[in-house]
Amino acid sequence: LLCTATMYLYSVTLQKAGGIQKAVYGSFSAPKVQEIVVSRGKSLEVFTTDGEGRLISLYYTEVFGTILSLSTFRLTGGNRDYIIVGSDSGKITILMYEREKATFVKIHQETFGKSGSRRIVPGSYLTCDPRGRAVLISAIEKQKFVYVLNRDGAANLTISSPLEAHKSHTITFDVVGMDVDYENPCFACLELDYSEVDEDATGEAAASVEKQITYYELDLGLNHVVRKATLAVERSAHALYAVPGGGDGPGGVLVCSEGLISYMNINHDAVAAPIPRREQVGDASLRPPVIVTGALHKQKKMFFFLLQTDVGDLMKVTLDYEKNKVSRVKIAYFDTVPIASSICVLRSGYLFVAAEFSNHCLFQFRSIGEDEMDLSRAREVKDLGTVVPFYSPRPWENISLADEIESLSPVTKMELTDVQGGSGKGLICLCGRGARSSIRVLQYGMGITEMAVSDMPGNPSSVWTVKTSARAEHDDYIVVSFVGATLVLSIGERVEEVTDSGLLLSSSTLAVGRLGDDALVQVHPHGIRHVRSDRRINDWKAPGRQQVSHASLTSTQVVLCMTGGDVLYFELDVSGQLLEVERVEGLGEVQALSLSPVDEGRKRAKFMAVAVGSIVRVLSLDPQNTMETVASQGLSENAQSLCFLPAGGLMYLYIGLGSGILIRSTIDKITGALSDNRTRLIGARGIRLRELRLNGESAFAALSSKTWVGYSYQRRVQLAPLAYTPVEDVSSFSSPDCPEGIVAVAGNTLRILSIDRLGEVLHQTAFPLDYTPRSFVRISGTSLIAIIEADHNAIASTVTDTDEMPKSVFGVVPGGKGKWGSRIRVMDLDKGVTVQCFALANNEAAVSLCISAFADRPGEQFLVVGAASDMVLQPRSCSSGFLYLYRINGSQGIEIVHKTAIDGIPSALASFKGRLLVGVGKLLRIYDGGKKKLLKKSENKFFPNLITSISVRGERIYVSDVAEAFHLVRYKKSDNALVIFADCTHPRWTTSSTLLDYDSIGAVDKFGNFFVSRLDAKLSEELDEDPTGARIKWEYGTLNGAQYKMDDVINFHMGETSCALVRGSLQAGGDEAIITAGVMGTIGAFIPFLTASDYKLFQSLEMHMRQENPPLLGRDHLAYRSSYFPVKGTIDGDMVETFLSLSPERQRDIADSLDRSVSELQKKIEDMRNRIL
């Protein structure tokens, strides 16, 4: 309902944030288990590593607030770590992670101040005493609180009332808990006292003020905090790292400043060492390095720091000391990794790097490096007055890459378009910064890695994998069925054909599996072959002229459906013989059959599902009522396949129909009754269901025109397609090289596949770029896109990239202040190759582009690129601006036509009626085509700020500036004038926008707000029908604004700055939505409600969820979503979806209060998400 008078939207997250703000590690779920907890700004996620060195996501949750700080602590004598979080809720929160329940448990939550991100309310800095006795939480300015942590009589964690450690006129830069063994806890704070600066009007005090380290000691006996000492430090000091104390080290802190690392402690002289510098061209080597993050690794009688500089180089820092006396700080180059926001050194031998931008990395240590640098290249540096070691970066020696987590952060622009030759919809995103930039194509579906492809002697119809022993860790055979034949392949170092498996090879196979502990069973059209562990073979032949049409089996049961309509049930007896237990005759022609999974602790499946005609029956396999019908369900058409899936404590029966509709019914685990039917169209042809194992749990594949996978992920059932070509059949696959994969048959090939990451519904394909991408356009009628890239402090055309030293890790050559590197790139998106690439000379930077046509050149398309020479961002200026005009030659690329000089930065471009609209600073101009340059035809000088975007629809021009939201403009041809006739009532720092209809604009701003502004429809119609234009006069505006105002009909705080916004549907036939992309890599959607009654229902449900399941960190949900403007017309789908994770009792209570059933509410929630995915 994007074009109606009343608009209601449903906000939902499609893909969680990829960027990481802070990462900590510890043993959160159990002793000696290494886990990582990361903060993504407004969410928390828990990771662990598997045996193959891959990062596995264990749990993800939205906190509906802003996380400001994150730390861990362990109580004295404890074996598990707690998580402590500072946020904008004005509360300090202590969490414990429970892996069995896959959730964070709130242990304590103490209120100390107002909510919101305020500079004098604590939360920005957080640190714990290394012995787990106290925690200090600090604000940016003035306030600090210390909490004492202890245990009560039942050994439960307790927290004291806060102890104040305030100091007025003081700015805090960093805090750290010092290791003082079991003496009174002590905290070191890096501070700056500006009390004298406020009183000095000359500014001399501001230039001479010193930074200090202040030591705050918590006296456990007197229960108060005192300032123990204050030490002066370098003015450029910015970070502190605690040095192990007690019996592990000398104690004290490392102070990081520009080009220098100093050891400091109370009653100890400062010991400093220069940070080694990277050899770089020009003056770059003279710039002192700055430490951006670091980590401590401590073992018995040994510790070292890994500190990262602002170019990504890791420095190993060690100390020479005797008792508590430090004599020397040693710094050595370790290796180079992407610039990080956090790094964690795990005890299991891994280094986790949470990259500042783009993908995150998990490295494995190969060695711990050298303690000292080679001084052969050392030389004196004037700014330090000492000798500094120099080095050149080299390929990794001490670490090797083990795994990588994809991250879109940050997304700078996004478009929704057809990809892969028009075969599907996709999001094209510009991501990253600098040398870690990329353009990524996102499509709905889980990513697949193709491990191997082998040709088969024919077209297989089915495939299975089987273990020959219950104790086997991996599969032993792949069984492939053809028409009239079966092929058996052994799994080892190589996959090769075997003929001695005992299975019947001269017939096609209907089912195969392990029977008992170490026997095999094969069902074929003429009977059953039972291969015993000692290779004895027992055959059972089908009676008379009957044949087996369908079969299903477990490790102790076999069920056959015969062509005459009989159903036979076999069980394995204690002697290992397969015996017929029950027979049902005349049931009818069976289309599908499935046995339920065997529950833990049981030997047999409890139920069997049979599809006969348009009816699905559930039969009991209990010995007391074997093969009795306990439930039935009528269908609109015949079923083609059946499959059971246990998930989240429930049992589901999936039914695949010939029309491509998948039905899910909940089956009672005691009685077998069917209820709560859900339907979903997943393809254009009949569905074939196959059982799988994913992440160690039951799953299934639904094979149609696409291959879909259903699985349980973090206690929720997920259904998502694979980003892969359709296949005929699949089965689980496990081998030493691929512990958890899928084997599939497609055409005449056998394929071994691996799902990249469960839980991700958007598959990424990335193509690297050289500089930060600024914008792009799709060249219509081709698969080409034009991209502009530009970076400050970069030298044009000097990007180096090798396999051993990729530029994404080692960076590009810095050019110095005021130097720009920029390119215009034409890329074939389908092939992923660059067709053309032009480097801009004369220190020019490309800032905007568009596709345009000109009236004097009919039938031709042009690419217009706006560039600025010697551009300065603050204050914004340039020596000259330029408009490049390129002719588009179809799939051949582009060629230059001419270049037009202008007197400002061309920050926005748009095509308008055979002319070109250009935003030059605060000016809006119209240019017409010319033979040698573009010709200026009209200009409006009355915009208040820099113009950032221009959109056109019909006669109306929509202009966005940097701080005042939108201006509606009309071109009066008779006066050759651009006239502003409407603008917005609220100032907005708009970052991206999209037109929803002629009168409505959806947009996002830099503070994380989404809004829709609309011009009254009646007024809009009157203005359009005014032939004289007399009503459109900017002179009659009030308060320096336009005469008419737009109203905000939607307001919603997303909690994350968004730079990209598009309108469209993600799949053919799907509903339209407004799709957003944030700087942290979150992909979200605003889905319009179809009826007002649905909106009212979800509004009531959202209100109940605020009360029944309040945000984890204590932020008021309504206040959070109304951080800048009161939330209006939007339901928070992420909050509503937490209903699905509540206990059944709480779900029933909420449903009863809404006069609805639980299943009805669940279906409503799932249907809202399914409308777009």
Side-chain angles (χ1 to χ4, degrees), residues 893-904:
I894 59 177
E895 61 175 341
I896 185 72
V897 178
H898 55 63
K899 176 181 177 182
T900 305
I902 58 176
D903 56 352

Side-chain angles (χ1 to χ4, degrees), residues 650-709:
L650 300 174
M651 179 76 74
Y652 300 104
L653 174 63
Y654 284 86
I655 307 168
L657 304 184
S659 59
I661 294 176
L662 181 65
I663 300 175
R664 189 191 83 180
S665 297
T666 303
I667 182 168
D668 190 291
K669 299 177 78 171
I670 304 299
T671 65
L674 296 173
S675 62
D676 188 19
N677 295 333
R678 314 276 176 89
T679 61
R680 185 171 183 182
L681 179 65
I682 65 170
R685 69 184 194 199
I687 300 173
R688 183 179 187 182
L689 298 173
R690 288 299 306 270
E691 296 178 2
L692 295 176
R693 296 286 295 179
L694 293 176
N695 202 24
E697 297 181 356
S698 296
F700 73 91
L703 312 175
S704 183
S705 53
K706 282 185 177 181
T707 302
W708 293 67
V709 173

Side-chain angles (χ1 to χ4, degrees), residues 83 161 190 227 266 301 426 429 484 528 590 767 794 832 904 965 970 1068:
I83 306 146
S161 299
L190 184 60
R227 295 186 191 91
I266 302 173
K301 299 182 180 180
C429 301
I528 302 173
V590 175
F767 306 105
R970 188 171 181 179

Side-chain angles (χ1 to χ4, degrees), residues 56-241:
I56 305 298
S57 175
L58 298 177
Y59 179 60
Y60 171 87
T61 182
E62 293 279 347
V63 300
F64 303 104
T66 302
I67 300 169
L68 302 177
S69 52
L70 187 69
S71 187
T72 65
F73 70 91
R74 179 180 296 188
L75 291 174
T76 304
N79 54 17
R80 290 179 60 178
D81 293 298
Y82 295 90
I83 306 146
I84 189 161
V85 188
S87 67
D88 63 345
S89 64
K91 303 175 182 178
I92 186 170
T93 307
I94 298 177
L95 305 174
M96 181 174 67
Y97 174 63
E98 290 194 2
R99 191 165 183 172
E100 295 77 15
K101 297 180 179 179
T103 187
F104 284 118
V105 177
K106 195 185 303 181
I107 304 299
H108 280 287
Q109 192 168 78
E110 297 294 325
T111 304
F112 53 73
K114 295 180 179 180
S115 62
S117 298
R118 307 167 191 265
R119 68 179 190 176
I120 64 167
V121 175
S124 298
Y125 300 102
L126 187 65
T127 187
C128 297
D129 170 56
R131 306 296 174 180
R133 298 170 297 169
V135 57
L136 180 142
I137 186 166
S138 171
I140 294 175
E141 185 178 347
K142 186 181 179 180
Q143 292 192 8
K144 299 180 185 69
F145 288 114
V146 176
Y147 290 88
V148 180
L149 305 172
N150 216 325
R151 290 190 180 95
D152 60 13
N156 296 318
L157 173 66
T158 62
I159 185 169
S160 71
S161 299
L163 304 175
E164 294 183 358
H166 305 334
K167 187 178 181 184
S168 61
H169 299 90
T170 300
I171 297 175
T172 303
F173 293 88
D174 200 8
V175 298
V176 70
M178 297 181 63
D179 191 345
V180 292
D181 204 12
Y182 290 102
E183 297 180 9
N184 285 331
C186 189
F187 301 96
C189 300
L190 184 60
E191 300 175 344
L192 186 145
D193 188 333
Y194 65 88
S195 56
E196 295 181 1
V197 176
D198 275 355
E199 299 171 357
D200 178 32
T202 65
E204 295 179 0
S208 60
V209 66
E210 289 185 338
K211 280 185 183 175
Q212 302 170 332
I213 293 181
T214 303
Y215 295 89
Y216 293 88
E217 184 180 66
L218 169 62
D219 192 318
L220 294 175
L222 300 177
N223 200 33
H224 76 283
V225 181
V226 297
R227 295 186 191 91
K228 188 174 183 180
T230 299
L231 303 177
V233 296
E234 291 282 338
R235 178 70 179 269
S236 61
H238 56 276
L240 302 176
Y241 293 92

Side-chain angles (χ1 to χ4, degrees), residues 768-770 785-787 789 823-827 834 836-837:
L769 302 174
D770 294 333
I785 59 171
I787 312 167
E789 310 167 33
R823 292 184 174 182
I824 303 170
R825 183 188 302 268
V826 179
M827 175 180 283
T834 297
Q836 291 174 296
C837 191

Side-chain angles (χ1 to χ4, degrees), residues 887-916:
R887 180 181 290 106
I888 297 174
N889 298 323
S891 59
Q892 302 297 315
I894 59 177
E895 61 175 341
I896 185 72
V897 178
H898 55 63
K899 176 181 177 182
T900 305
I902 58 176
D903 56 352
I905 301 173
S907 53
L909 303 173
S911 180
F912 177 68
K913 293 180 175 288
R915 292 180 169 186
L916 180 68

Side-chain angles (χ1 to χ4, degrees), residues 1048-1111:
D1048 288 347
V1049 296
I1050 295 290
N1051 276 317
F1052 186 79
H1053 180 64
M1054 299 184 295
E1056 175 182 338
T1057 301
S1058 181
C1059 295
L1061 186 74
V1062 296
R1063 172 189 173 182
S1065 59
L1066 281 176
Q1067 55 182 340
D1071 288 0
E1072 273 197 343
I1074 304 168
I1075 303 170
T1076 65
V1079 294
M1080 294 294 286
T1082 304
I1083 304 295
F1086 290 87
I1087 308 169
F1089 281 98
L1090 298 179
T1091 63
S1093 60
D1094 277 352
Y1095 172 74
K1096 291 178 181 178
L1097 172 64
F1098 277 90
Q1099 192 177 39
S1100 300
L1101 181 56
E1102 182 186 36
M1103 180 186 67
H1104 279 84
M1105 294 310 303
R1106 287 171 182 157
Q1107 297 172 351
E1108 296 292 330
N1109 192 31

